[in-house]
Amino acid sequence: MASSTMLSMPATTPEEHRERIESFLERAAKILSMSAAQRQDLATLGSTVRVFGRLGDPVMDMQREHLPEEEIMAIAGLIRPLTLSREPVEISNVFASIGYLTQSAPPEMKQAIRSYKKIALARMAGWRWRFMTSSDNEPNGLTDREIAECWMYANLVHADLERRRRIQHVPEGERYLAATVWVSDCVLVTRAVQQLIFDLRRVSLL
């Protein structure tokens, strides 16, 4: 395998693009082997509201479930490079390598790949809800993606005091819900891109 220094450089040759794709596939296999990624309910976990109540009782209890903290911590570190533009396995960089290696593909296939890329990047960047806080510094509240990012940098990557301050008024459960949805979307994209690569190889386009 090429050294991490080489892989951090922009890919310019077919061999370097293939190495980038191999690096992604190795990381994808690790991500998809984690217990969080194998949950059957991962696609809806964190974003689905369950309502509990008794017939005739006007009071209802609404609950959302999230991944256990230890499962989030275990998989988040593996996922993070897929979101960083400087990393060779970042999703748009992987699609750049796919595009480079499929230049001779039929036009409809190249259009399909571009559509896959658009959907994947939108899923990685998208957000589901906005949480309003009591902080004057966040008058517009925080999206679930912003909460997940702040949680990750404040607790997983390093003790980022600025990001810790931004979510100090966000309940712990809301942080884990946001992190769960982020994990879910990243796992979904990882699995889809992995399958795309396998399919392209099956028809000898990669």
Side-chain angles (χ1 to χ4, degrees):
M1 179 188 297
S3 68
S4 58
T5 301
M6 181 181 295
L7 285 175
S8 65
M9 301 285 286
T12 57
T13 68
E15 183 57 33
E16 289 172 349
H17 283 289
R18 292 189 184 94
E19 287 177 356
R20 177 185 285 174
I21 288 175
E22 285 301 327
S23 294
F24 168 78
L25 289 176
E26 289 176 9
R27 182 164 293 270
K30 292 178 182 178
I31 291 171
L32 298 179
S33 71
M34 301 298 288
S35 58
Q38 296 180 23
R39 290 186 58 137
Q40 296 298 313
D41 61 347
L42 183 62
T44 58
L45 200 62
S47 58
T48 298
V49 178
R50 302 176 68 181
V51 180
F52 299 89
R54 294 181 179 179
L55 189 64
D57 189 342
V59 179
M60 294 186 178
D61 182 25
M62 295 186 292
Q63 297 180 1
R64 288 182 293 168
E65 296 182 28
H66 58 72
L67 289 168
E69 179 185 5
E70 60 272 16
E71 290 191 18
I72 298 174
M73 297 291 281
I75 197 171
L78 290 172
I79 288 175
R80 182 170 172 264
L82 304 186
T83 69
L84 301 176
S85 60
R86 67 176 181 270
E87 295 286 347
V89 294
E90 188 265 340
I91 293 299
S92 63
N93 290 335
V94 174
F95 270 104
S97 289
I98 292 174
Y100 180 93
L101 294 171
T102 56
Q103 295 179 69
S104 62
E108 62 272 16
M109 180 62 72
K110 289 193 283 190
Q111 180 57 49
I113 292 171
R114 286 193 290 269
S115 296
Y116 258 85
K117 177 182 178 179
K118 183 178 180 180
I119 294 170
L121 295 181
R123 191 69 183 244
M124 296 285 279
W127 54 276
R128 313 288 181 84
W129 69 85
R130 187 179 296 275
F131 183 86
M132 302 306 297
T133 75
S134 58
S135 171
D136 293 336
N137 295 321
E138 301 291 348
N140 298 317
L142 295 166
T143 67
D144 58 289
R145 277 297 191 269
E146 290 173 321
I147 293 170
E149 179 184 271
C150 288
W151 169 85
M152 181 169 60
Y153 277 91
N155 296 280
L156 182 67
V157 181
H158 51 77
D160 189 315
L161 298 181
E162 173 60 22
R163 287 184 169 94
R164 187 183 295 276
R165 181 196 62 76
R166 290 191 70 193
I167 59 173
Q168 63 182 338
H169 298 291
V170 179
E172 186 177 71
E174 196 72 23
R175 301 178 195 181
Y176 289 145
L177 285 168
T180 293
V181 172
W182 173 76
V183 166
S184 173
D185 287 343
C186 290
V187 167
L188 179 67
V189 169
T190 298
R191 184 174 286 116
V193 176
Q194 180 197 59
Q195 188 60 52
L196 173 63
I197 293 170
F198 290 161
D199 290 344
L200 291 172
R201 285 182 170 179
R202 192 172 296 114
V203 294
S204 302
L205 286 176
L206 276 184

